């Protein structure tokens, strides 16, 4: 079973697109877990409506005090018992065959030691690839710290083994609401875990003005989280990649002071 996890914050106006894409899946072996990160819109009404409708997958909806996506992920991992964990953001959606394809990848990789999960590609709604993927490669097994060097650039549609994810948690710093998701993946990279990346596009979305990608640049507002990310990044990445991280780390300290 796959848990599709979606954290939401004031996304009542757009979540229909994701919900409809889940209803259109050709393989329904998944559950949809939604955690409301302190929304002030009517997302709870919409989620209750979804739950009342008939569909072949289960919908679970929980609320938490506003604390950021990383806290929502921590909460989700404390709730689920499924084998795989797939984060799909509330402003994005899946291709109709996404879950079918993911299960094919899981079957192909289930006996390979050292793999923490599988991944497809993300694209903009017009089909343009987000980031990059090396031409002609059927798949690539790579650690988080080696992605850029291997040509795996940008956000991807990553599905992780829940049992491995549950061995780690994001730190939660008082007054801070953001830590990059990559911080967790860099920790697994240190331990030698890899993800198998495929060229298939299974996930679509844009970066909206009210999304985390647009709003997460305020280092001074999340300084401890930023420092945690850079420390893990520097441990995971080898010279010369960690030089840029060190510069960012120092500059963040200057900004804070």
């Amino acid at each position: 079973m796959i848990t599709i996890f979606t954290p939401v914050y004031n996304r009542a106006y757009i979540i229909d697109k994701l919900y409809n894409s889940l209803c259109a899946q050709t393989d329904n072996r998944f559950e949809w877990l939604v955690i409301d990160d302190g929304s002030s819109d009517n997302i709870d009404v919409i989620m209750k409506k979804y739950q009342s409708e008939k569909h072949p997958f289960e919908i679970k909806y929980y609320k938490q005090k506003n604390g950021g996506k990383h806290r929502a992920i921590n909460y989700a991992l404390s709730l689920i018992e499924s084998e795989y964990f797939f984060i799909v953001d509330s402003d994005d959606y899946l291709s109709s065959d996404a879950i079918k394809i993911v299960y094919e990848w899981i079957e192909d990789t289930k006996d390979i030691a050292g793999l923490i999960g599988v991944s497809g590609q993300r694209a903009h709604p017009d089909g343009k690839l987000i980031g990059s993927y090396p031409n002609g490669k059927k798949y690539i097994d790579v650690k988080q710290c080696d992605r850029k060097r291997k040509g795996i650039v940008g956000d991807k549609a990553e599905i992780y083994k829940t049992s491995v994810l549950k061995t780690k948690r994001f730190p939660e710093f008082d007054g801070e609401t953001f830590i990059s998701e990559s911080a967790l993946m860099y920790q697994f990279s240190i331990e030698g875990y890899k993800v198998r990346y495929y060229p298939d596009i299974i996930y679509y979305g844009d970066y909206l003005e009210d999304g985390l990608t647009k709003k997460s640049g305020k280092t001074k507002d999340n300084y401890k989280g930023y420092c945690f990310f850079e420390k893990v990044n520097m441990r995971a990445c080898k010279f010369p990649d960690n030089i840029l991280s060190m510069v960012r780390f120092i500059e963040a300290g200057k900004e804070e002071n």
Side-chain angles (χ1 to χ4, degrees), residues 72-80 85 162 165-166 168-169:
I73 294 173
N74 284 349
Y75 187 18
L77 289 174
S78 74
L79 294 171
I80 67 172
F85 189 71
T162 305
L165 285 187
K166 280 178 173 281
K168 296 282 189 294
R169 289 291 191 278

Side-chain angles (χ1 to χ4, degrees), residues 38-74:
S39 297
S40 58
D41 60 5
N42 66 330
I43 187 69
D44 55 334
V45 175
I46 291 175
M47 291 308 304
K48 288 176 182 176
K49 175 180 175 293
Y50 291 164
Q51 288 177 313
S52 71
E53 296 173 351
K54 290 185 178 181
H55 28 63
F57 57 92
E58 184 177 5
I59 299 175
K60 299 177 181 178
Y61 174 65
Y62 297 86
K63 291 184 178 183
Q64 69 172 22
K65 181 181 178 180
N66 180 247
K69 185 177 181 179
H70 65 293
R71 283 186 174 86
I73 294 173
N74 284 349

Side-chain angles (χ1 to χ4, degrees), residues 143-145 168 183-193 231-237:
K143 295 187 290 185
Q144 173 73 22
C145 60
K168 296 282 189 294
L184 210 59
M185 296 309 109
Y186 277 125
Q187 291 184 76
F188 290 118
S189 183
I190 292 169
E191 297 179 5
Y193 284 107
K231 287 176 182 177
V232 174
N233 185 8
M234 284 189 279
R235 282 186 62 200
C237 296

Side-chain angles (χ1 to χ4, degrees), residues 98-121:
I99 298 303
K100 175 181 177 292
I101 291 172
V102 169
Y103 271 111
E104 292 172 358
W105 294 340
I106 289 172
E107 183 64 25
D108 287 343
T109 60
K110 65 181 181 180
D111 297 323
I112 300 176
L115 284 183
I116 191 177
V118 295
S119 176
Q121 301 300 306

Side-chain angles (χ1 to χ4, degrees), residues 21-247:
S21 79
L22 298 183
C23 291
Q25 289 302 304
T26 58
D27 190 325
N28 297 298
R29 290 176 291 168
F30 65 90
E31 64 177 5
W32 188 27
L33 171 62
V34 177
I35 293 183
D36 181 352
D37 187 35
S39 297
S40 58
D41 60 5
N42 66 330
I43 187 69
D44 55 334
V45 175
I46 291 175
M47 291 308 304
K48 288 176 182 176
K49 175 180 175 293
Y50 291 164
Q51 288 177 313
S52 71
E53 296 173 351
K54 290 185 178 181
H55 28 63
F57 57 92
E58 184 177 5
I59 299 175
K60 299 177 181 178
Y61 174 65
Y62 297 86
K63 291 184 178 183
Q64 69 172 22
K65 181 181 178 180
N66 180 247
K69 185 177 181 179
H70 65 293
R71 283 186 174 86
I73 294 173
N74 284 349
Y75 187 18
L77 289 174
S78 74
L79 294 171
I80 67 172
E81 299 296 333
S82 57
E83 191 174 3
Y84 287 88
F85 189 71
F86 185 8
I87 300 175
V88 182
D89 291 333
S90 55
D91 52 344
D92 300 331
Y93 59 97
L94 300 178
S95 64
S96 62
D97 58 353
I99 298 303
K100 175 181 177 292
I101 291 172
V102 169
Y103 271 111
E104 292 172 358
W105 294 340
I106 289 172
E107 183 64 25
D108 287 343
T109 60
K110 65 181 181 180
D111 297 323
I112 300 176
L115 284 183
I116 191 177
V118 295
S119 176
Q121 301 300 306
R122 294 194 193 192
H124 297 283
D126 63 3
K128 182 180 179 181
L129 188 69
I130 291 174
S132 64
Y133 182 90
N135 291 332
K137 293 288 185 179
K138 184 178 179 181
Y139 61 79
I140 301 175
D141 297 345
V142 64
K143 295 187 290 185
Q144 173 73 22
C145 60
D146 294 329
R147 275 184 45 177
K148 185 175 181 180
R149 184 168 59 85
K150 294 287 188 176
I152 308 292
V153 179
D155 291 331
K156 303 301 176 186
E158 294 160 329
I159 301 91
Y160 297 106
K161 292 181 179 179
T162 305
S163 60
V164 182
L165 285 187
K166 280 178 173 281
T167 66
K168 296 282 189 294
R169 289 291 191 278
F170 289 99
E172 298 181 6
F173 301 111
D174 289 344
E176 296 193 5
T177 59
F178 179 79
I179 297 177
S180 170
E181 289 174 58
S182 297
L184 210 59
M185 296 309 109
Y186 277 125
Q187 291 184 76
F188 290 118
S189 183
I190 292 169
E191 297 179 5
Y193 284 107
K194 296 180 179 181
V195 172
R196 175 163 290 187
Y197 291 88
Y198 293 89
D200 312 65
I201 296 172
I202 62 170
Y203 185 122
Y204 293 88
D206 268 326
Y207 297 109
L208 303 182
E209 290 301 322
D210 61 348
L212 272 179
T213 303
K214 293 280 190 177
K215 295 175 11 180
S216 62
K218 297 182 178 179
T219 302
K220 63 183 178 62
D221 294 336
N222 300 282
Y223 181 66
K224 291 180 181 178
Y226 182 82
C227 290
F228 173 79
F229 167 76
E230 290 300 348
K231 287 176 182 177
V232 174
N233 185 8
M234 284 189 279
R235 282 186 62 200
C237 296
K238 297 179 181 180
F239 182 87
D241 295 334
N242 59 3
I243 295 299
L244 179 57
S245 293
M246 190 175 296
V247 170

